Amino acid sequence: MTEKHLTMLADAPLTGPERKRSLVAVIACISVVGMGLGVSIPLLALLMERNGVPASLIGLNTAMPALATFVLTPFIPALLRRIPAIPFLLSCIAISAIAMPAYYLFPNVWLWFPIRFVNGIAFTGLFVVSEFWINTLADEKNRGRLIGIYGTVLSCGFASGPVLLFLVGTEGAAPFAVIALLIAVAALPLLLFGRGLAPRVTERPTRSFASFFIAAPAATLAGLVYGATETNIFNMLPVYGVRIGMTEQTAAFVLSIFAAGNILCQVPIGLWADRTDRRFVLLVCATVGFLGVLAIPFVAHSIWLFAPTLFLFGGVVVGLYTVGLTLLGERFRGADLASANAAFVMMYSIGALIGPPLAGGAMDLWDPHGLIIAMSGLCGLYVAVAGWRYFTAPRQPRSPE
């Protein structure tokens, strides 16, 4: 399999104020992605659960954005050669804003499949172009800081989504209208701050990335496991919560606890990974994730036990994504690193695609604890892979940079 890589190239170096304006514009796009997904995933899952849709079908429906990512990503470079970045992003925002009331106007789960796929295409465009745009604003002195801001804002969007859902509720047109309005308003920073500052996009030579799955299985598989785990938490955990007796609002609100762990623990885990063997950090994160999933049935009936457990679980399991990318940066350089990152993102999308149907099918077989079996099984398999790599892979010296 081959992947086209994007390189964001500015026509001329940006001044300090222009860089700040450009950063505001791209952060607005990231906020849309985070908040839109953070609200829509639990909202749609809860509405399908309320209407008696089987958990397996809920899982398949929630996999549509991941399928859109898998299908669209190879075509984005060609699209951006024909459509400038700002109009492209504005089109994605418009499509996403229109999709939200469409869910309300067409309350049929089978119609939600194409709507959700199209909405996923819009989110994919926002995510991919924003990520590459922010990379053009970074240099080697501030790349970690800016990408850290990117990750934090994205996680904050996920966290604020369930809070917003808790405030506006799940009844009627209100949640759909509020989400659509917020997404539409997010276009303003692009128009006010991004015009004339958006970078161009060109292709780099294609490269097969199958070899990276063999060369760095612990790092690349970390993307798959985190993609499946994160998507299952935001999609299936609210359903699990309702089935064990939580209210819909509480079941959605606890997702913010998971997201808060994501927000607050990325930097400490990253600092730890810079000071020790990163494969060991992956093994610890995987082990804590495995134990955290197994603990859910024992603590979910008490919010005072469930909250800290979910916070710790969310904070540590995100290390799979953070440290997985960091380990690839340790192992590879230049074009190899770009290809390795592409493989990692593809694995994340595959995980997000297969995770919800797997969990939903497990819940249909054992209601509701099949979710725990599916998630712990995946985490347990990754513990074995991470442990095998930690104990058998040759140690490589760290780059002095």
Side-chain angles (χ1 to χ4, degrees):
M1 187 180 293
T2 59
E3 177 74 13
K4 293 182 178 179
H5 306 293
L6 307 182
T7 303
M8 308 300 269
L9 302 174
D11 292 329
L14 299 180
T15 65
E18 287 175 335
R19 288 171 65 86
K20 291 179 181 178
R21 288 169 52 202
S22 187
L23 184 61
V24 168
V26 70
I27 288 295
C29 290
I30 293 300
S31 300
V32 169
V33 173
M35 182 173 290
L37 290 175
V39 178
S40 63
I41 290 177
L43 172 63
L44 297 178
L46 290 170
L47 291 178
M48 285 186 283
E49 166 69 9
R50 181 190 301 166
N51 291 323
V53 175
S56 56
L57 195 58
I58 296 175
L60 285 171
N61 188 265
T62 303
M64 287 299 99
L67 179 62
T69 297
F70 192 85
V71 170
L72 177 67
T73 300
F75 299 101
I76 289 181
L79 287 172
L80 292 180
R81 288 197 307 274
R82 295 167 174 80
I83 307 173
I86 291 294
F88 181 85
L89 291 171
L90 291 175
S91 298
C92 291
I93 288 173
I95 291 171
S96 184
I98 293 171
M100 295 315 301
Y103 292 119
Y104 176 75
L105 294 174
F106 303 99
N108 182 298
V109 67
W110 298 111
L111 293 178
W112 282 9
F113 275 89
I115 295 173
R116 204 159 191 176
F117 181 83
V118 172
N119 199 15
I121 286 178
F123 279 136
T124 297
L126 286 166
F127 180 79
V128 173
V129 177
S130 297
E131 183 179 72
F132 280 91
W133 187 343
I134 204 168
N135 265 310
T136 65
L137 299 176
D139 55 38
E140 292 313 311
K141 294 181 180 179
N142 66 6
R143 188 174 305 278
R145 178 168 61 87
L146 288 185
I147 293 178
I149 293 173
Y150 154 80
T152 300
V153 169
L154 187 59
S155 294
C156 284
F158 271 97
S160 63
V163 173
L164 178 62
L165 186 59
F166 180 79
L167 294 175
V168 302
T170 61
E171 300 287 345
F176 298 98
V178 170
I179 299 167
L181 179 61
L182 286 174
I183 292 175
V185 168
L188 292 179
L190 289 176
L191 296 172
L192 295 175
F193 303 113
R195 303 183 75 175
L197 302 177
R200 294 181 292 109
V201 180
T202 62
E203 296 179 6
R204 289 187 174 183
T206 61
R207 177 185 174 94
S208 172
F209 52 76
S211 60
F212 294 106
F213 305 140
I214 299 173
T220 52
L221 284 174
L224 185 147
V225 174
Y226 184 70
T229 300
E230 181 185 51
T231 308
N232 277 334
I233 288 292
F234 276 92
N235 171 56
M236 306 308 295
L237 189 63
V239 177
Y240 180 87
V242 168
R243 292 188 179 186
I244 64 171
M246 293 182 183
T247 65
E248 290 186 352
Q249 284 77 13
T250 300
F253 182 71
V254 295
L255 299 183
S256 294
I257 301 171
F258 174 85
N262 283 188
I263 294 168
L264 297 177
C265 295
Q266 289 188 61
V267 172
I269 290 177
L271 291 173
W272 181 33
D274 286 339
R275 290 165 170 76
T276 189
D277 189 322
R278 289 175 177 133
R279 292 189 183 91
F280 176 71
V281 180
L282 279 178
L283 177 58
V284 171
C285 291
T287 302
V288 173
F290 172 68
L291 296 175
V293 172
L294 290 179
I296 288 176
F298 301 98
V299 301
H301 293 283
S302 169
I303 192 64
W304 302 108
L305 296 175
F306 192 34
T309 301
L310 199 58
F311 177 87
L312 179 63
F313 173 70
V316 175
V317 78
V318 76
L320 296 177
Y321 194 93
T322 304
V323 182
L325 278 177
T326 304
L327 185 59
L328 292 178
E330 176 187 324
R331 293 284 308 279
F332 305 106
R333 291 290 180 271
D336 284 344
L337 178 58
S339 295
N341 286 344
F344 188 87
V345 172
M346 186 61 71
M347 292 298 277
Y348 175 90
S349 296
I350 292 173
L353 185 62
I354 67 174
L358 180 65
M363 290 180 74
D364 283 344
L365 292 174
W366 186 15
D367 184 17
H369 299 300
L371 173 66
I372 307 304
I373 299 301
M375 291 180 62
S376 62
L378 191 59
C379 288
L381 288 174
Y382 183 72
V383 169
V385 172
W388 163 62
R389 291 297 290 173
Y390 173 66
F391 289 110
T392 64
R395 300 294 185 262
Q396 295 189 354
R398 293 283 179 89
S399 170
E401 60 180 324

